[in-house]
Amino acid sequence: MIVEFLLNGEPATARIVSPVSLLDVLRDQLELPGSKNACEQGECGSCSVVLDGEIVCSCLVMAADVGDSEVVTVEGIGGDGLTPVQRAMHHSGAVQCGFCTPGIVVVAADLFARNPNPTTLEIKEALAGNICRCTGYGAIIRSFEKLARETS
Amino acid sequence: MHFHHPTTLADATQAVAEGATPLAGGTDLMVEVNFRHRRPEHVVGLRKVEELGAWEGNRIGAGVTWRRLEHGGPQALAEAARTVGSPQIRNAGTIGGNVVTASPAGDGLPFLVAVDAKVEVMSAEGGRLVPWDVFFVGVKKTTLAADELVTAIHLPESLPERQAFGKVGVRSAMVIATVGCVVTRTDDGKTTVGLGSVGPTPLRASRAEEMISSVTRPTESDLAEFQKMVSDEARPITDHRSTEEYRRHAVGVLARRLLERCLR
Ligand SMILES: Cc1cc2nc3c(=O)[nH]c(=O)nc-3n(C[C@H](O)[C@H](O)[C@H](O)COP(=O)(O)OP(=O)(O)OC[C@H]3O[C@@H](n4cnc5c(N)ncnc54)[C@H](O)[C@@H]3O)c2cc1C
């Protein structure tokens, strides 16, 4: 079957022959490897995307289910240059191996879009579904605390 | 691969009548697909069926997500919703999916059994309302027929004034319950206790309920007795998450603390 949907603001089509995940289709068919494949069970958040306005794990979305839906991946978050969330992470050294970074960028962009001035607790709650195997949470959270102060 | 995208309940029940596997948030089903335990080639996506997302008063549509329950559900159900997985999981996962998966650890279940909820199911032929203790029959086993969908959860007209949910796990976020519990109490003392992860299905601690319901102002020794009775009524097992002994102990302590919260 052919699935048509809106991907990062542009019409996209995918050919689906089995119950694969959206994550697999993004990476293997649509050449968008920004969403990472780590746990395949929704635990780590490195494949986070925005589906019809809500953050979800793309590994738990059946690709066939996104027909007529709107998907935004990490590739669709930035424009020219770094976004405020990316700049904050860059400046605070909030990136170590980088594998969790795309998921964190997607989640933080959603957080700041809804709430430009989140508290530390709100930042931690928003990131509760994103695991950093380097355990670099301190720098990640500080980078967003700083951004929250700048935008307040 | 054959995928249905119904927007109406009639089309959705028609698809399951033709043998399609229902897919809601995918947070249980896709884990099984990714780990190659299941490979459904004929699927009906329920995300866009408006009737399933409807939530009016005490009738909660099967497609209502944890995220929505967290912000508007009855107190103990909202508290349970807040502990489910992570924001990503709560945005996708639904109460209907939780009920159909029927894991003993399903965080929605202790509340549903504590308030005597009914499960509304429907096939292309028609619908029925199933009491929870008829619906849940074993570990991940329900009496839902293959051609039926869960369409909603019916809560009673009036809910107990006081309710509390608690869960014990190895950490406080993104954790499957080692034991879970909901205690409710009305202003005139009627108390109910729903237990999760301590039996093949969610359970009620009926003897403990009866004892404490007759006590207007529980004393320290009533509370201790209540705790012991809850532990005795639990039917836990030892598995990869915990031991029978720990669960039996923890569920009594948890129920007592939740009761104390209701009494405050
Ligand atoms: C990382 C992670 C963390 C989790 N944490 C928790 C937790 O803390 N607590 C908890 O309780 N659960 C947890 N879960 C499990 C899961 O998120 C919940 O059980 C959720 O409610 C399932 O809902 P869903 O809509 O995603 O179901 P789906 O995966 O879409 O479906 C589950 C099952 O129900 C069937 N189904 C779905 N809707 C219907 C319907 N309306 N009628 C008939 N059949 C239907 C499907 O065919 C499938 O068999 C977690 C899962 C993950 C991946």
Side-chain angles (χ1 to χ4, degrees), chain B residues 185-239:
Chain B
R185 191 161 164 106
T186 60
D187 283 343
D188 56 17
K190 184 173 184 303
T191 303
T192 67
V193 182
L195 306 179
S197 294
V198 291
T201 63
L203 306 174
R204 286 278 289 270
S206 327
R207 278 179 289 122
E209 290 177 357
E210 202 181 319
M211 185 279 286
I212 207 72
S213 293
S214 66
V215 183
T216 328
R217 296 192 141 189
T219 60
E220 190 56 32
S221 80
D222 295 325
L223 293 172
E225 176 66 9
F226 173 76
Q227 172 178 336
K228 182 170 177 305
M229 288 177 85
V230 170
S231 284
D232 287 347
E233 284 183 82
R235 293 160 53 202
I237 56 162
T238 295
D239 65 10

Side-chain angles (χ1 to χ4, degrees), chain A residues 41-42, chain B residues 22 24-29 38 66 85 94 98 107 150 167 175:
Chain A
Q41 50 185 313
Chain B
T27 62
D28 278 320
L29 184 58
R38 278 174 88 176
W66 295 116
T94 63
N98 202 238
D107 282 323
V150 168
K167 121 185 187 188
V175 72

Side-chain angles (χ1 to χ4, degrees), chain A residues 19-76:
Chain A
V20 291
S21 69
L22 173 62
L23 175 64
D24 282 350
V25 169
L26 290 173
R27 292 178 56 84
D28 301 341
Q29 214 182 110
L30 299 171
E31 299 180 344
L32 292 176
S35 309
K36 299 299 178 219
N37 183 353
C39 78
E40 296 195 287
Q41 50 185 313
E43 296 266 353
C44 78
S46 63
C47 67
S48 297
V49 300
V50 185
L51 172 64
D52 293 331
E54 303 282 0
I55 300 277
V56 296
C57 293
S58 60
C59 73
L60 300 182
V61 176
M62 197 178 279
D65 193 26
V66 301
D68 296 331
S69 283
E70 190 174 347
V71 175
V72 179
T73 67
V74 67
E75 289 89 346

